[in-house]
Amino acid sequence: MAKKDVNITINGKEYSSKVEPRLLLVHFIRDVAGLTGTHVGCDTSNCGACTVVLDGKAVKSCTVLAVQADNKRITTVEGLARNGKLHPVQEAFVDKHGLQCGYCTSGMLMTSFWLLQKNHNPTEKEIREALSGNLCRCTGYENIVKAVKEAAKEISAEQNKDLVREEPIEA
Amino acid sequence: MKSEEKFVRGLGQFIDDIKFPNMLYMSVVRSDYARARLLKVKGGINAKVFNHPLAAVGEGAMSGFERAQHMVFASEFVNYLGEPIAAVYADDPYKSEDLISSVEVDYDPLKPVIDPEKALDAEPIHSGFKSNIISEKWLGKDFKNDSPIVLEDSFRNNRIVTNPIEPRGVIANYDGKRLTLWIGTQSVFSIREGICAAMDLPPENVHIIQADTGGAFGSKGGLYPEYVMASYIAMKEKRPVKWIETRREHLMASHPGRGAMAKMKLYADRTGKVTGLRGEILVDSGAYAGGTGEFSSRFIAHQLTGQYHIEQAYIRALSVFTNKVPQGPYRGAGRPEAAFFTERMMDMLADELKMDPFELRLLNATEQPFVSPTGLKIGASKPFMIKARKELGYVPYEATKDTGVAMFVLVPAAQPGESARVRSEDGRIKVWLGGNVHGQGHEDFVKKIINEELGVKEELVELELGDTDAMEAGIGSWGSRSAMMGGSAVTVAARKVRDQVSKKFGSYSVSKLLSGSFDVYEFFSYKDSYNSFGSNLAKVSVDSYGRIKVLEDRSYYDLGRILNRQMVRGQIVGGNLQGIGQTLSENIEFDDEGQLLTSSISEAGLLTSEITTKYTVKFDETPSDLPSGAKGLGEAPTIGTPSAIARAVEVYTGKRIRDTPIKLS
């Protein structure tokens, strides 16, 4: 298969590579960029463990080809912390025990981050709808929903609004 | 860094995140048929070059049954859809997957045996067996009973796939002397035992290192053929070999749980006192020995007398071969099945006598410790039930409208105890456990115990992942045993460290401990059972389409000492949702030809965040007399929830509920 040049900006840093057209975005992120925080959990785009934010939208990166993301900007779980400090949504997941085994967590965080970008003050129903494409087998979702609510409180404080801008302040 | 912070930063090192230079990627060629004669296999690594059986290791795994052993690669016959036939590999995972189609396999399809009831009379799937029955045991004693009330019914809990969000995976590497496996697992020592047996290697030449493990629920405790294949290829090629399961492979070829049926017969007098219990348990063991099928029917039968004083019981426990992947443990592993079968009969008796279901249960509770005819040891259940009625907020009127309750006994896998190692070095404490964490928060109870026993600040304590080189022995993380047994091992090891410090310095202080290097390995041995009680109350509504909504799931459990409240509640609520899943939607379905009708993790019925059940969690915290003070926990919510929901749906709809998942249409 003829390889294609792609250039993808992930967490503010550019990654260029020649890739097979069939290469999935999730494998570009994990294997080319070496960012293994984005996980693969199923083959059918059901579990959401691979969720990243691509040009302002939460997408399942196992359902996007790397070539489709050419010249686009992506935020992954590694891009949430600012200057080493956890993002409020990360803080809240730790504080509210919103994770157990930690495998679905990156996808949950990215979907939550995207939701809070669009909606600083989501209702419980809106949170549950937004997360319904991300499966968790450990927590029963209760503490994940609590964590998103807590993160929303932090983010809706005026001085924190920039925290949900997609591009991290510093890569 | 605490593991939770590591995971939210995306810095976990799960098995697929580990990469070595020069690594090979393995893919597996699997059977397209549930049963067939293999006429030809050409290409890849197959049974012609490596023809070894899988050793039975891990929780409740069957050994023996030489003519029905699971081989690493199928040779003359295949006996389940997805059974491994050959392995291929390349230096890129995409290329490796492409190679699957390069292996030629010719089959002569045979009629498979899919239904466990039909398996009883069907022609045996393995030659050398007289029937498909692999195990038949009788528990209790035959009895005569002329009680006026005799009720009979039959039940089924369908198979469920464990479906942790992280699939199974392994990396094998061989340096010419030692074989090393990195793996997501519940038990590095079970994996080592299995690899040694399958590869004919002594334990000192096999090193198992646990990677961060993204959930397991029973499916990562034992040995699977893929781990052996990767080991073989690593030794052959002298290169690291990685295998990561796809979700479809997980649905086809990881050991699923449940898959049990029961015929029950309950004898009672007119006051509601149960006088006798007969039963027949039938477990769908799947195609080979090595899973839990043989153990499972006996284990269910053992628990069937529940929290009740039943003087007479006689239970037949049967396990049968079918042309399906071998059965394995799934959170609860025989316990939820037993509770379901017993509690469904208790509700039936309550209805027969028009009694309040809770009153009926209280009437049959025991006021003294009791050993049932099936050998189940329990304490006095009546005081527990009285407390449960209050703590669950039980209202008799609601029990006729939308509410169900369930009582159960949690039988943890207490034996044979567990190991721990506590080491003080460079001003920090490192701890290892024989049972390996995969999401249950072992780290938190370890930090708490070390802080209590040795006075060391929690931030100076680290729980290491499993490693066979770090300890002499270890059991595993399953059967609700970690805080009670692992916690006890850490406690005893910590006390011994304290003694060492005192001996060396004349007295103990934290600074003396942290200034020196001390190292204690302890196997906390335990040879008895340590059963405890639990109860659930569920409230439901059902719409005109038969869609069930679980409005509430209340839990009241006897947990002993609570080592971390947030963690305990998290475990219980997560398990409650798994119990709801089993009851409402989770299933793995095959057609008559043994082809899988469940093609994705969503079709397997995993519930999403849109389920809005209200959870109430309460517990009795009277400490156990074990060093950790803890009792069994992890499986409790998956045991009580299905039975409570089944009853709630029954009273709401007026339809008798016999199976999970419940199908109302």
Side-chain angles (χ1 to χ4, degrees):
Chain A
M1 250 176 280
K3 291 196 174 181
K4 296 247 181 201
D5 281 311
V6 282
N7 182 306
I8 304 174
T9 303
I10 306 176
N11 305 329
K13 190 176 164 190
E14 276 188 46
Y15 295 88
S16 299
S17 183
K18 270 191 188 310
V19 303
E20 282 191 34
R22 65 177 176 171
L23 184 75
L24 298 175
L25 177 59
V26 65
H27 292 134
F28 185 93
I29 294 168
R30 290 175 53 81
D31 299 332
V32 178
L35 297 167
T36 56
T38 304
H39 301 147
V40 180
C42 71
D43 346 307
T44 46
S45 301
N46 292 121
C47 82
C50 64
T51 306
V52 299
V53 176
L54 174 119
D55 279 358
K57 274 189 187 156
V59 299
K60 292 180 176 178
S61 61
C62 73
T63 316
V64 179
L65 295 167
V67 291
Q68 291 175 291
D70 189 22
N71 293 319
K72 297 200 167 150
R73 307 170 83 80
I74 287 168
T75 306
T76 71
V77 68
E78 291 93 341
L80 290 179
R82 309 289 157 92
N83 302 319
K85 190 178 175 302
L86 292 182
H87 186 275
V89 76
Q90 292 172 309
E91 287 275 12
F93 268 67
V94 172
D95 187 47
K96 294 291 172 194
H97 187 39
L99 63 146
Q100 289 179 24
C101 80
Y103 197 78
C104 75
T105 309
S106 321
M108 288 288 178
L109 287 168
M110 295 318 293
T111 303
S112 305
F113 172 73
W114 163 78
L115 169 70
L116 295 172
Q117 271 186 337
K118 299 189 309 173
N119 180 352
H120 293 347
N121 194 15
T123 62
E124 172 156 344
K125 190 159 185 277
E126 286 167 337
I127 295 170
R128 288 184 176 274
E129 272 173 17
L131 293 174
S132 65
N134 291 74
L135 295 175
C136 170
R137 190 60 155 162
C138 298
T139 64
Y141 304 102
E142 184 183 65
N143 288 343
I144 292 176
V145 174
K146 280 187 197 163
V148 179
K149 280 187 196 164
E150 181 174 271
K153 263 189 239 160
E154 281 292 304
I155 280 161
S156 46
E158 201 52 43
Q159 68 274 17
N160 289 333
K161 289 263 160 75
D162 65 323
L163 282 174
V164 284
R165 283 193 301 123
E166 193 185 330
E167 229 22 53
I169 293 158
E170 196 176 295
Chain B
M1 196 184 292
K2 259 200 84 179
S3 64
E4 287 188 325
E5 187 182 334
K6 177 177 80 174
F7 292 137
V8 298
R9 286 183 183 273
L11 300 177
Q13 283 285 289
F14 296 96
I15 187 64
D16 199 19
D17 303 337
I18 300 171
K19 230 177 167 175
F20 293 112
N22 209 24
M23 195 153 75
L24 292 166
Y25 297 84
M26 182 182 94
S27 299
V28 181
V29 179
R30 297 176 185 277
S31 174
D32 293 332
Y33 293 92
R35 191 176 181 209
R37 188 183 294 276
L38 277 179
L39 302 175
K40 177 177 134 189
V41 178
K42 199 176 157 203
I45 303 291
N46 58 48
K48 272 175 234 145
V49 290
F50 186 79
N51 192 22
H52 265 253
L54 277 183
V57 295
E59 183 187 14
M62 293 184 276
S63 49
F65 304 99
E66 265 170 37
R67 283 182 303 266
Q69 286 190 105
H70 196 312
M71 304 301 283
V72 173
F73 296 109
S75 47
E76 295 163 56
F77 293 91
V78 283
N79 277 303
Y80 65 90
L81 180 84
E83 184 174 347
I85 295 171
V88 290
Y89 51 92
D91 55 13
D92 170 281
Y94 283 62
K95 284 183 199 149
S96 170
E97 219 177 302
D98 290 344
L99 286 174
I100 290 177
S101 58
S102 72
V103 177
E104 290 173 50
V105 184
D106 288 346
Y107 304 89
D108 176 17
L110 300 166
K111 184 74 190 159
V113 175
I114 301 302
D115 185 279
E117 274 188 305
K118 290 182 185 155
L120 287 169
D121 302 316
E123 165 214 356
I125 66 167
H126 296 294
S127 65
F129 283 80
K130 287 192 188 113
S131 75
N132 286 312
I133 297 174
I134 51 168
S135 158
E136 179 180 14
K137 295 267 158 52
W138 289 90
L139 282 83
K141 230 173 88 184
D142 202 0
F143 59 85
K144 282 204 177 96
N145 190 314
D146 52 8
S147 293
I149 295 166
V150 182
L151 300 174
E152 287 184 73
D153 211 345
S154 35
F155 310 101
R156 181 193 277 252
N157 288 163
N158 268 8
R159 278 185 163 203
I160 294 179
V161 179
T162 60
N163 273 319
I165 305 301
E166 183 203 30
R168 292 185 295 120
V170 67
I171 298 171
N173 191 37
Y174 184 63
D175 65 6
K177 242 172 104 181
R178 279 189 108 194
L179 175 68
T180 302
L181 266 65
W182 291 261
I183 189 166
T185 185
Q186 299 165 244
S187 169
V188 288
F189 286 97
S190 290
I191 299 295
R192 186 177 71 176
E193 189 190 339
I195 292 292
C196 288
M199 301 298 299
D200 286 328
L201 290 169
E204 60 272 20
N205 288 1
V206 177
H207 182 193
I208 313 292
I209 301 169
Q210 186 198 12
D212 281 324
T213 302
F217 312 106
S219 63
K220 295 176 186 169
L223 188 72
Y224 281 93
E226 298 88 354
Y227 307 161
V228 182
M229 295 172 199
S231 300
Y232 175 81
I233 296 166
M235 291 180 78
K236 177 177 147 63
E237 296 291 340
K238 311 273 188 299
R239 286 172 69 178
V241 177
K242 180 189 268 192
W243 172 74
I244 302 294
E245 183 183 54
T246 66
R247 185 59 55 178
R248 178 156 171 81
E249 289 182 297
H250 185 77
L251 296 171
M252 285 194 297
S254 270
H255 297 171
R258 313 289 186 268
M261 303 164 76
K263 288 182 187 151
M264 303 281 282
K265 193 171 184 180
L266 194 71
Y267 300 79
D269 67 21
R270 292 200 190 283
T271 68
K273 178 80 190 120
V274 177
T275 55
L277 177 68
R278 280 180 199 277
E280 183 181 292
I281 302 298
L282 178 62
V283 163
D284 179 352
S285 292
Y288 295 104
T292 49
E294 188 257 353
F295 161 78
S296 186
S297 57
R298 217 173 347 124
F299 188 50
I300 294 170
H302 167 68
Q303 299 170 74
L304 280 184
T305 46
Q307 288 197 19
Y308 311 110
H309 184 109
I310 302 176
E311 291 274 352
Q312 296 183 318
Y314 195 42
I315 318 288
R316 185 184 185 207
L318 283 172
S319 300
V320 289
F321 286 123
T322 58
N323 288 110
K324 286 187 261 181
V325 61
Q327 189 215 32
Y330 166 63
R331 195 171 185 175
R335 300 162 183 89
E337 295 91 316
F340 190 85
F341 303 151
T342 303
E343 291 299 90
R344 298 281 56 235
M345 291 309 292
M346 294 305 279
D347 287 326
M348 191 182 189
L349 179 59
D351 288 346
E352 172 74 18
L353 296 168
K354 299 193 170 46
M355 274 179 82
D356 174 77
F358 217 114
E359 287 305 318
L360 177 87
R361 286 169 167 84
L362 266 172
L363 178 75
N364 286 288
T366 166
E367 293 183 49
Q368 300 294 327
F370 177 64
V371 182
S372 87
T374 58
L376 182 68
K377 277 191 200 175
I378 57 172
S381 56
K382 194 165 183 183
F384 174 81
M385 279 193 210
I386 290 168
K387 278 190 269 179
R389 184 166 55 182
K390 180 167 170 277
E391 298 292 339
L392 293 173
Y394 180 78
V395 178
Y397 169 74
E398 293 172 353
T400 62
K401 303 285 177 200
D402 65 354
T403 300
V405 288
M407 300 291 135
F408 63 88
V409 180
L410 172 58
V411 180
Q415 294 173 22
E418 188 54 279
S419 65
R421 179 179 170 197
V422 176
R423 189 172 85 182
S424 159
E425 203 181 65
D426 304 327
R428 299 185 71 84
I429 302 290
K430 281 189 175 181
V431 177
W432 289 263
L433 287 172
N436 308 133
V437 65
H438 46 281
Q440 309 94 322
H442 293 178
E443 185 183 9
D444 293 84
F445 77 67
V446 162
K447 282 170 185 268
K448 185 180 167 81
I449 289 170
I450 295 295
N451 176 264
E452 285 174 349
E453 296 294 330
L454 296 171
V456 179
K457 284 185 194 152
E458 293 196 5
E459 58 264 32
L460 296 177
V461 182
E462 282 160 59
L463 174 66
E464 300 291 307
L465 289 167
D467 185 332
T468 53
D469 275 8
M471 290 207 290
E472 286 164 34
I475 306 301
S477 189
W478 52 62
S480 301
R481 66 199 314 277
S482 294
M484 61 190 300
M485 289 303 146
S488 292
V490 175
T491 308
V492 176
R495 287 173 189 168
K496 288 190 176 171
V497 166
R498 194 184 179 97
D499 290 347
Q500 283 188 357
V501 176
S502 300
K503 214 170 163 186
K504 187 172 173 191
F505 295 104
S507 67
Y508 176 83
S509 76
V510 177
S511 57
K512 285 171 187 162
L513 165 67
L514 294 177
S515 68
S517 73
F518 300 91
D519 199 344
V520 170
Y521 163 82
E522 174 72 21
F523 195 100
F524 175 76
S525 182
Y526 196 81
K527 298 203 164 62
D528 206 347
S529 54
Y530 211 114
N531 304 339
S532 54
F533 296 130
S535 58
N536 277 82
L537 181 149
K539 292 172 95 64
V540 303
S541 69
V542 184
D543 70 13
S544 55
Y545 299 102
R547 286 179 302 204
I548 301 161
K549 215 169 160 181
V550 180
L551 306 173
E552 280 198 57
D553 188 358
R554 302 179 195 162
S555 304
Y556 177 65
Y557 304 144
D558 176 14
L559 298 179
R561 186 159 84 107
I562 305 294
L563 291 153
N564 181 312
R565 306 192 90 75
Q566 192 186 39
M567 201 61 73
V568 165
R569 187 187 159 93
Q571 283 288 305
I572 291 173
V573 169
N576 286 144
L577 188 72
Q578 288 186 324
I580 297 171
Q582 173 186 338
T583 319
L584 303 193
S585 54
E586 287 193 44
N587 201 359
I588 184 91
E589 279 192 280
F590 295 88
D591 68 9
D592 291 344
E593 297 303 316
Q595 290 295 325
L596 197 56
L597 300 174
T598 308
S599 62
S600 70
I601 191 168
S602 289
E603 280 182 48
L606 263 71
L607 295 174
T608 73
S609 54
E610 291 193 282
I611 299 287
T612 54
T613 302
K614 183 183 170 212
Y615 303 100
T616 309
V617 177
K618 294 183 177 179
F619 19 79
D620 183 333
E621 299 180 52
T622 312
S624 70
D625 56 10
L626 297 165
S628 69
K631 296 179 186 172
L633 157 65
E635 291 160 310
T638 56
I639 307 173
T641 295
S643 302
I645 296 174
R647 175 58 178 179
V649 172
E650 188 166 274
V651 292
Y652 195 100
T653 61
K655 288 181 187 158
R656 177 76 171 145
I657 302 299
R658 297 185 173 87
D659 304 331
T660 64
I662 296 172
K663 285 183 182 152
L664 287 175
S665 47

